[in-house]
Amino acid sequence: MSNQKYWLGLSLVKQLGSVRIQNLISHFGTAENVWKASKRDLEQVNLPKRALASLLECQKTMDLDAELSRLNKIGAHLVTLADSAYPTNLRTIVDPPVVLYVRGTLIPNDALSLGIVGTRRATRYGKDASEKLSHWLASQQVTIVSGMALGIDQYAHIGAIKARGRTIAVLGSGIDILYPRENTALAHDIIENGAVISEFPLGTPPTGRNFPRRNRLLSGLSLGVLVVEAPLNSGALITAESALEQGRDVFAVPSSIFNKMGQGTNKIIQEGAKLVMDGRDVLDELNISYTNHVIKQKTTVIAPSNSTEETVLTTLDIEPIHIDEIVRQTGLATHTVSSTLAILELKGLAQMVGGMQYCRTRT
């Protein structure tokens, strides 16, 4: 712990990057020696003038014990490149962060991990696919890594948690800023079932320029990246590019040709991404064995109670349909269809997705 604060201090020097910090530590022996080095000694290693000036200024003005105290107050801790807890997969990328801010736990088994990413404006199909795939993979002891954004990321974390598996969220902000706010409760669930991590200092806002760095961290933690649903020019495709640059496998879930939110996934399949229809496709490609272990969440099967419920349910599919169309197809009165849909929702067999449109709940 005493040496961690010096790693933290070096990481907060704006003109020092990961590679330069590692070179300095290699030269001086420890992070503490670098932090306490004199101006004369630092001049011998040919640091750029701005980096040298920035380091000397931080040596004088920064209270490292206070910085660690700030972390402790929010229940977070540091993991440095020198720590055994540092993620194995992340060590292999070109510029691994010298420190990670962590809320939760990182364990050796997280090396068996898959990144799942996609659009924030996910369709019902995309959300269901993300949750179903992450649920099955998490049940096979695969750690699900995602970015905690709304849409695909959100449902990837939810699927893993429902399977009582592990999941890691990678933030594009400081660890003290859980973004987006709508996922604050989810963040706490993730912390209980894995970790929320960041390489950005405390107080860093979630600005757009942070997310390419976040994406390369997300892919670096993973053996491969699965893009579930993404339009062209999506940030999820940038994560896929990072994965390729890092030598990771890239997977994608196919979408309808009429779905604009899935044009990016279809494009990367054309370009060579592995097409995924279920979790076994991922494990087979990664040469990971799987079991027939199934997580049982329900002990009873809920079914329609009468012919009216059965008739209405047969009109529903994974794609939403307007209530007027249900009335037309069934020939039932509007009030009958409306009340029946309400009952099917209570049973968990149907779901209203907005605009008086309904779909069948995924089984």
Side-chain angles (χ1 to χ4, degrees):
M1 285 297 294
S2 61
N3 202 42
Q4 275 196 338
K5 67 181 181 182
Y6 300 110
W7 281 86
L8 175 59
L10 293 173
S11 74
L12 294 173
V13 179
K14 292 184 178 179
Q15 301 300 323
L16 294 182
S18 172
V19 173
R20 188 166 285 151
I21 290 172
Q22 292 180 71
N23 289 339
L24 284 170
I25 292 173
S26 177
H27 178 84
F28 287 99
T30 67
E32 181 178 1
N33 290 343
V34 177
W35 189 259
K36 294 180 176 179
S38 67
K39 178 180 179 182
R40 182 174 181 178
D41 288 340
L42 289 169
E43 287 174 337
Q44 303 305 310
V45 295
N46 298 318
L47 278 177
K49 289 183 179 180
R50 291 178 63 188
L52 176 60
S54 184
L55 175 54
L56 293 172
E57 180 65 20
C58 287
Q59 286 176 335
K60 294 177 183 177
T61 61
M62 195 173 291
D63 184 340
L64 299 184
D65 290 317
E67 290 296 326
L68 280 181
S69 179
R70 289 175 65 199
L71 268 180
N72 293 333
K73 285 179 179 178
I74 63 169
H77 64 278
L78 281 183
V79 174
T80 78
L81 262 175
D83 298 330
S84 59
Y86 195 92
T88 304
N89 295 335
L90 197 57
R91 289 184 186 276
T92 66
I93 70 172
V94 173
D95 58 341
V98 293
V99 300
L100 293 174
Y101 299 81
V102 180
R103 294 175 70 175
T105 58
L106 297 174
I107 64 174
N109 286 350
D110 291 332
L112 179 57
S113 59
L114 180 78
I116 297 183
V117 295
T119 179
R120 290 170 172 80
R121 302 190 302 276
T123 65
R124 172 52 49 188
Y125 165 77
K127 293 173 183 177
D128 286 350
S130 183
E131 182 177 340
K132 179 180 180 180
L133 289 165
S134 66
H135 185 282
W136 188 86
L137 289 162
S139 76
Q140 303 296 311
Q141 287 73 56
V142 175
T143 297
I144 302 300
V145 182
S146 198
M148 211 174 79
L150 298 174
I152 298 302
D153 292 15
Q154 177 182 4
Y155 281 83
H157 293 302
I158 289 171
I161 291 167
K162 285 184 176 180
R164 298 192 288 276
R166 285 186 56 79
T167 184
I168 296 172
V170 187
L171 302 185
S173 60
I175 198 75
D176 54 333
I177 301 176
L178 299 177
Y179 176 83
R181 290 183 180 179
E182 297 94 322
N183 279 342
T184 299
L186 175 61
H188 291 292
D189 287 340
I190 294 169
I191 292 167
E192 291 296 317
N193 293 272
V196 173
I197 71 172
S198 176
E199 65 175 309
F200 296 104
L202 294 178
T204 303
T207 55
R209 64 183 180 181
N210 294 347
F211 287 93
R213 289 194 61 78
R214 186 281 302 267
N215 294 343
R216 128 241 178 238
L217 184 58
L218 193 159
S219 57
L221 285 163
S222 309
L223 295 175
V225 169
L226 170 62
V227 185
V228 174
E229 186 177 51
L232 298 172
N233 303 316
S234 166
L237 302 187
I238 297 175
T239 307
E241 290 175 7
S242 294
L244 289 173
E245 291 170 0
Q246 294 165 347
R248 283 20 176 187
D249 289 296
V250 175
F251 307 88
V253 176
S255 286
S256 163
I257 62 172
F258 304 109
N259 176 21
K260 289 185 178 181
M261 291 300 105
Q263 288 180 347
T265 46
N266 287 346
K267 183 174 184 291
I268 64 173
I269 289 171
Q270 281 186 325
E271 294 172 348
K274 170 73 175 180
L275 187 153
V276 170
M277 292 189 293
D278 67 34
R280 291 172 178 80
D281 295 328
V282 174
L283 298 193
D284 287 343
E285 188 72 13
L286 295 175
N287 198 27
I288 297 169
S289 61
Y290 49 84
T291 70
N292 291 320
H293 179 59
V294 177
I295 302 295
K296 291 187 178 179
Q297 291 181 290
K298 296 180 181 179
T299 57
T300 59
V301 176
I302 300 175
S305 301
N306 52 55
S307 59
T308 301
E309 291 181 16
E310 181 67 38
T311 299
V312 172
L313 188 60
T314 57
T315 67
L316 302 181
D317 205 336
I318 59 171
E319 292 298 325
I321 181 173
H322 196 275
I323 189 171
D324 290 346
E325 180 61 19
I326 300 173
V327 169
R328 189 191 68 79
Q329 289 188 26
T330 61
L332 298 170
T334 301
H335 68 86
T336 300
V337 170
S338 180
S339 61
T340 303
L341 285 167
I343 293 171
L344 292 174
E345 281 193 277
L346 288 172
K347 290 183 173 182
L349 297 172
Q351 181 176 13
M352 187 170 75
V353 295
M356 298 303 293
Q357 295 192 82
Y358 293 80
C359 67
R360 183 187 287 264
T361 302
R362 176 181 54 79
T363 57

